[in-house]
Amino acid sequence: FNNRGYGYLRLDKLELAEKDIKRALELNPNLSLALNNLGLLRIKQKKFDLALIEVLKAKELSPGLPEVYLNLGLIYFGKKQYKLAIDEFDRAIQLNPILAVAYVERGKTHKLLGNKTKSIEDEKTASELRKKQNLNVKK
């Protein structure tokens, strides 16, 4: 249910995503990936306070999951707490240095804060990672 819910999230079919993710959590209330995905759903709905609750639960269960910190960064970005967002994107990158989306989001945040050089560096890194990842898929 969680995987299908995440697929619906990626397609922006939020009602279907919520139904499946909640079903996954009924079956296993401690499924950190489902909690994190429910947080991502709330981010897409711009319900940042609810998202924070879900993602912090996921963090407690799986503190080594880079996507948790990515989502925390997105939450803080949405709440306009940009320095906290950068800290969370940094942690996601520390845990998974090839997580291109974390560089993209950190770059956007640096740009908003006027850190043009850091923003450009992150954009370049994300672009290089995506090229490498696309090459690996084609092999």
Side-chain angles (χ1 to χ4, degrees):
F1 288 100
N2 181 56
N3 290 342
R4 187 172 66 189
Y6 180 71
Y8 285 137
L9 264 179
R10 291 180 55 101
L11 297 171
D12 284 325
K13 296 183 177 188
L14 302 185
E15 286 181 28
L16 292 171
E18 184 168 6
K19 181 181 173 186
D20 275 355
I21 294 167
K22 284 186 171 181
R23 180 67 179 130
L25 287 168
E26 286 173 16
L27 296 170
N28 182 354
N30 292 322
L31 186 60
S32 59
L33 289 174
L35 288 164
N36 196 54
N37 287 339
L38 187 56
L40 181 57
L41 173 78
R42 300 296 179 226
I43 292 166
K44 286 180 173 257
Q45 295 171 327
K46 305 223 182 300
K47 297 178 179 178
F48 300 112
D49 291 331
L50 288 176
L52 186 60
I53 292 166
E54 302 302 342
V55 176
L56 287 175
K57 287 181 199 171
K59 179 183 173 184
E60 186 177 313
L61 294 166
S62 295
L65 189 65
E67 291 79 7
V68 165
Y69 300 95
L70 173 64
N71 283 350
L72 286 170
L74 293 171
I75 292 165
Y76 291 128
F77 184 91
K79 292 169 73 85
K80 298 181 177 19
Q81 296 175 317
Y82 301 122
K83 290 185 178 173
L84 287 174
I86 287 174
D87 290 343
E88 299 299 342
F89 295 136
D90 286 345
R91 181 73 175 130
I93 291 166
Q94 180 184 11
L95 290 169
N96 183 356
I98 62 169
L99 188 61
V101 68
Y103 291 95
V104 170
E105 297 301 333
R106 187 175 70 178
K108 285 185 204 175
T109 310
H110 278 306
K111 189 173 185 176
L112 275 173
L113 292 174
N115 301 330
K116 203 171 195 177
T117 303
K118 289 181 179 181
S119 175
I120 292 168
E121 287 173 10
D122 279 345
E123 288 173 20
K124 284 181 184 177
T125 302
S127 178
E128 290 168 10
L129 287 170
R130 286 188 167 147
K131 283 179 191 172
K132 286 179 187 175
Q133 290 164 358
N134 285 336
L135 287 175
N136 289 336
V137 169
K138 292 177 184 176
K139 286 184 179 177

